[in-house]
């Protein structure tokens, strides 16, 4: 299986009806038989979470961020239990644009695990990948911050980050854990996606490469095709 996470961030293209169009594109591509070996995830702005959840669809919805505030009398926070009740399958944690403390990362992973939710923890380099591997999240996504939004793919210009992260994960993983490595930052085309897997990732985390593309369905299909074209399988 290969994994494809689309982070819509807060790009204006996904405000209001834009998000519905993006979700429709993800639904169409993820439903194609040729992509049955790709698991798709969409992380909309939290306001749009319910409008993108569709039990009939073959993709999962992730929150972009969740808070550790308590279920009950807490105001203005996004708490995992409520996100789950609205259909979120899991959450990004510690995205480069929303970093949190090591303790909070650990607490969020545990809370999501208890709820049966998926944790996708972001790391800035292979050292953090090694550190977060010990927490056994479902996914760790390595993204060099300076390449985010650059259009210069980590898999092309800094493949050593993916290879180093893969060995850091393999060295530090909790026995019997199934943490999978994703990579992101600057991924814009099918070749970037294919190289990501060939360098040792199980999938990709992409934002602007999809959102800024003129035709979402076409671009999502191109990236998914790159994932399944990869010759050397990544983990998972
Ligand atoms: O969450 C994905 C991300 O930070 C990578 O951004 O725009 O380089 O695909 P982008």
């Amino acid at each position: 299986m290969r994994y494809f996470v689309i982070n819509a961030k807060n790009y204006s293209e996904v405000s209001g009806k834009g998000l519905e169009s993006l979700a429709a594109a993800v639904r169409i591509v993820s439903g194609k038989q040729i992509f049955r070996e790709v698991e798709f995830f969409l992380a909309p702005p939290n306001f749009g979470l319910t409008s993108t959840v569709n039990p009939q669809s073959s993709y999962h919805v992730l929150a972009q961020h969740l808070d550790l505030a308590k279920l009950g009398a807490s105001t203005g926070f996004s708490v995992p239990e409520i996100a789950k009740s609205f259909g979120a399958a899991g959450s990004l944690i510690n995205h480069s644009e929303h970093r949190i403390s090591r303790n909070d990362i650990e607490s969020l992973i545990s809370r999501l695990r208890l709820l049966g939710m998926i944790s996708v923890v972001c790391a800035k380099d292979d050292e953090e990948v090694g550190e977060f591997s010990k927490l056994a999240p479902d996914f760790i996504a390595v993204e060099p911050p300076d390449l985010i939004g650059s259009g210069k793919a980590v898999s092309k210009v800094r493949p050593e980050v993916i290879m180093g992260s893969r060995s850091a994960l393999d060295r530090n993983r909790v026995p019997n854990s199934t943490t999978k490595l994703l990579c992101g930052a600057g991924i814009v085309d099918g070749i970037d996606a294919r190289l990501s897997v060939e360098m040792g990732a199980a999938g990709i985390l992409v934002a602007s490469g999809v959102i800024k593309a003129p035709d979402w369905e076409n671009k999502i299909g191109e990236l998914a095709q790159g994932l399944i074209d990869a010759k050397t399988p990544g983990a998972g």
Side-chain angles (χ1 to χ4, degrees), residues 5-9 11 43 92 95-97 122 141 143-145 147-153 183-188 204-212:
V5 183
I6 299 167
N7 178 8
K9 301 197 174 181
Y11 282 118
L92 303 181
H95 189 277
S96 191
E97 291 150 5
C122 299
E143 300 196 305
L147 294 181
I148 291 177
S150 69
K152 286 184 268 175
C183 70
I187 291 172
V188 292
I204 51 175
L205 171 57
V206 183
S208 56
V210 169
I211 307 301
K212 297 291 179 185

Side-chain angles (χ1 to χ4, degrees), residues 72-96:
S74 59
T75 299
F77 296 96
S78 299
V79 302
E81 292 79 2
I82 299 293
K84 182 179 177 181
S85 77
F86 281 103
S91 183
L92 303 181
I93 296 174
N94 193 47
H95 189 277
S96 191

Side-chain angles (χ1 to χ4, degrees), residues 2-206:
R2 310 273 157 90
Y3 303 89
F4 185 0
V5 183
I6 299 167
N7 178 8
K9 301 197 174 181
N10 281 315
Y11 282 118
S12 58
E13 286 86 344
V14 298
S15 56
K17 296 279 178 210
L19 185 61
E20 283 175 30
S21 308
L22 177 65
V26 179
R27 187 170 62 246
I28 290 167
V29 179
S30 62
K32 291 188 178 175
Q33 186 61 9
I34 47 164
F35 297 132
R36 64 188 176 283
E37 293 301 318
V38 180
E39 200 167 341
F40 291 79
F41 299 84
L42 173 61
N46 283 0
F47 293 110
L49 206 134
T50 46
S51 67
T52 51
V53 168
N54 178 341
Q56 267 73 55
S57 291
S58 42
Y59 65 87
H60 310 283
V61 172
L62 300 176
Q64 293 182 5
H65 169 84
L66 289 174
D67 297 300
L68 278 168
K70 66 177 180 185
L71 179 65
S74 59
T75 299
F77 296 96
S78 299
V79 302
E81 292 79 2
I82 299 293
K84 182 179 177 181
S85 77
F86 281 103
S91 183
L92 303 181
I93 296 174
N94 193 47
H95 189 277
S96 191
E97 291 150 5
H98 202 147
R99 300 264 294 177
I100 58 175
S101 72
R102 167 74 163 68
N103 281 350
D104 285 358
I105 293 170
E106 186 164 5
S107 302
L108 268 170
I109 293 171
S110 309
R111 189 153 155 188
L112 293 189
R113 187 178 293 129
L114 278 174
L115 290 164
M117 295 174 79
I118 298 162
S119 47
V120 182
V121 178
C122 299
K124 66 176 162 54
D125 53 26
D126 57 341
E127 200 178 315
E128 281 195 347
V129 170
E131 192 189 329
F132 299 156
S133 302
K134 297 171 190 157
L135 307 175
D138 298 291
F139 296 93
I140 299 177
V142 65
E143 300 196 305
D146 59 309
L147 294 181
I148 291 177
S150 69
K152 286 184 268 175
V154 58
S155 50
K156 257 188 204 139
V157 305
R158 231 170 283 160
E160 68 279 6
V161 171
I162 306 173
M163 294 185 282
S165 295
R166 178 56 191 269
S167 38
L169 171 61
D170 291 341
R171 273 198 316 275
N172 291 285
R173 73 162 66 249
V174 175
N176 301 320
S177 63
T178 57
T179 305
K180 293 171 179 65
L181 180 71
L182 305 178
C183 70
I187 291 172
V188 292
D189 63 25
I191 297 172
D192 299 339
R194 175 172 63 75
L195 290 174
S196 299
V197 176
E198 292 181 346
M199 296 301 137
I204 51 175
L205 171 57
V206 183

